[in-house]
Amino acid sequence: MGSMKRILVIGAKGMLGRDLVETLRTSFPGDEITGWDVEEIDIQEERSTVTRIKNLEPGVIVNVAAYTDVDGCELNEKKAFAINAEGVKHVALGAVRCGAKVVTLSTDYIFDGKKGSPYVEEDPPNPLNVYGRSKWKGEQYVQELAKDPLIIRTQWLYGKHGKNFVASILRQAREKASLSVVNDQIGSPTYTVDLSHAIALLIERKARGIFHVANNDSCTWYHYARRILELSGIEGAKVVPVSSKELAYPAVRPAYSVLDTQKLKREAGLTLRPWTEALKDYLSSNPERA
Ligand SMILES: NC(=O)c1ccc[n+]([C@@H]2O[C@H](COP(=O)([O-])OP(=O)(O)OC[C@H]3O[C@@H](n4cnc5c(N)ncnc54)[C@H](OP(=O)(O)O)[C@@H]3O)[C@@H](O)[C@H]2O)c1
């Protein structure tokens, strides 16, 4: 038996956080998994964040806490940076105080979407919106301050514990005869359960540096919406493809932000299943959300 590790998940009540805590408890049965959210630790506050982390003395900290409302961030830049950049910095400072390894989550929205082919870990970030800029700053803090950090960039998440695109499309399809969905942004819908397994594997392998993790294959939001309805057997609602300009959300999103996940395959031997497979699994195992 190896010595027991204490793994701290910050943001444990979020969509990814809930599945991640469950997966870590299964993947590391001999270890202590502690889940904290904003009631236990407000990462905006430097002193209390550092003290709480130091007192717990975790071996690994996985930070999945963030201000994830992309349009909200656009309208509240101060809050976006206070959580996604400074907050992440405070977590890194706490980790340094007790020698913990830091794992933090980042996003495809650090890229501008102009490359036209899948983004590799070394591609230069150029975020188009406040959310992306704040997450990119958080990455930089972690790289500067923590020892051998692991940064996991992912995208287009859905899971059973949060407001998400799948649930929202199913709800709208029940309420309306037609729904307008953006058809000029391409990415890879990613299931939080699959991502959680990848995070556990990367922790086990003691991976460091940047890794892109997403389900395989890509689509537009419009094709994604159609597939959701198809797989759920909903026929009445019409899905209308529209441009981002027509919907005019406050935050600009990258047109093409598919993440290249070859590094994950090369270094950890893992490829996540195609997004359509994961989606089928989600829909059949969460009938109450379908
Ligand atoms: N969702 C996506 O499509 C997506 C895509 C790419 C990357 N990511 C990244 O993946 C990670 C997980 O995302 P998610 O969708 O699971 O997010 P989420 O559901 O919004 O969960 C984030 C959690 O962090 C908590 N939190 C917010 N501010 C905090 C603070 N100051 N101190 C401590 N906890 C705080 C939130 O609490 P409240 O709910 O009470 O605010 C929430 O429980 C994030 O780093 C996100 O940037 C997400």
Side-chain angles (χ1 to χ4, degrees):
M1 256 230 1
S3 61
M4 195 207 62
K5 270 200 305 289
R6 186 173 289 142
I7 304 179
L8 169 63
V9 176
I10 303 180
K13 289 198 180 138
M15 182 167 67
L16 173 60
R18 284 185 191 261
D19 283 333
L20 181 63
V21 167
E22 204 177 309
T23 301
L24 293 177
R25 290 201 169 124
T26 315
S27 300
F28 303 103
D31 295 338
E32 185 185 306
I33 315 298
T34 302
W36 283 349
D37 209 277
V38 69
E39 298 83 24
E40 292 84 16
I41 188 168
D42 180 352
I43 62 170
Q44 294 181 79
E45 292 180 11
E46 175 171 346
R47 256 180 39 162
S48 58
T49 297
V50 172
T51 309
R52 293 229 56 187
I53 291 174
K54 191 167 62 87
N55 291 345
L56 184 75
E57 290 197 317
V60 179
I61 302 171
V62 192
N63 176 56
V64 299
Y67 179 31
T68 54
D69 174 352
V70 176
D71 294 307
C73 285
E74 208 62 24
L75 307 171
N76 198 343
E77 182 161 358
K78 219 171 140 189
K79 180 175 171 189
F81 276 82
I83 298 172
N84 298 342
E86 300 305 312
V88 175
K89 175 183 169 186
H90 303 151
V91 172
L93 289 172
V96 169
R97 292 289 291 276
C98 58
K101 159 111 181 163
V102 180
V103 181
T104 198
L105 268 286
S106 191
T107 166
D108 57 326
Y109 284 2
I110 63 154
F111 295 119
D112 62 18
K114 296 183 179 133
K115 186 181 174 192
S117 60
Y119 281 94
V120 294
E121 285 78 357
E122 299 75 27
D123 280 325
N126 183 30
L128 300 176
N129 54 42
V130 170
Y131 171 72
R133 285 208 300 279
S134 65
K135 294 291 290 183
W136 166 227
K137 187 75 189 162
E139 282 195 20
Q140 289 170 297
Y141 276 137
V142 164
Q143 300 262 32
E144 279 163 27
L145 297 167
K147 187 169 176 288
D148 295 336
L150 169 61
I151 294 169
I152 298 173
R153 294 188 189 133
T154 188
Q155 62 180 180
W156 293 28
L157 295 184
Y158 65 93
K160 56 180 179 275
H161 300 291
K163 274 193 256 163
N164 71 62
F165 184 79
V166 184
S168 147
I169 289 296
L170 291 171
R171 194 189 56 247
Q172 289 183 59
R174 269 185 231 112
E175 292 167 358
K176 308 188 208 171
S178 114
L179 27 149
S180 300
V181 184
V182 168
N183 199 28
D184 55 8
Q185 293 166 29
I186 300 174
S188 307
T190 299
Y191 188 20
T192 49
V193 169
D194 292 9
L195 172 60
S196 295
H197 283 107
I199 296 173
L201 180 71
L202 289 170
I203 292 174
E204 193 197 317
R205 297 286 174 97
K206 300 191 164 50
R208 52 191 165 145
I210 303 173
F211 279 82
H212 288 175
V213 179
N215 276 114
N216 224 358
D217 301 339
S218 57
C219 59
T220 69
W221 293 105
Y222 165 74
H223 287 107
Y224 182 17
R226 289 197 45 175
R227 185 52 70 92
I228 292 164
L229 298 183
E230 236 171 72
L231 290 173
S232 312
I234 297 175
E235 279 160 10
K238 188 169 163 1
V239 187
V240 183
V242 294
S243 69
S244 310
K245 265 211 181 98
E246 278 172 86
L247 293 190
Y249 287 114
V252 177
R253 270 89 165 160
Y256 181 98
S257 58
V258 178
L259 297 173
D260 183 311
T261 58
Q262 289 303 307
K263 183 178 176 191
L264 180 70
K265 184 177 177 190
R266 246 182 359 255
E267 297 195 13
L270 179 66
T271 304
L272 298 195
R273 57 190 163 167
W275 68 266
T276 46
E277 293 300 311
L279 179 61
K280 263 185 226 162
D281 193 1
Y282 169 86
L283 290 170
S284 59
S285 53
N286 300 285
E288 73 280 5
R289 306 213 52 178

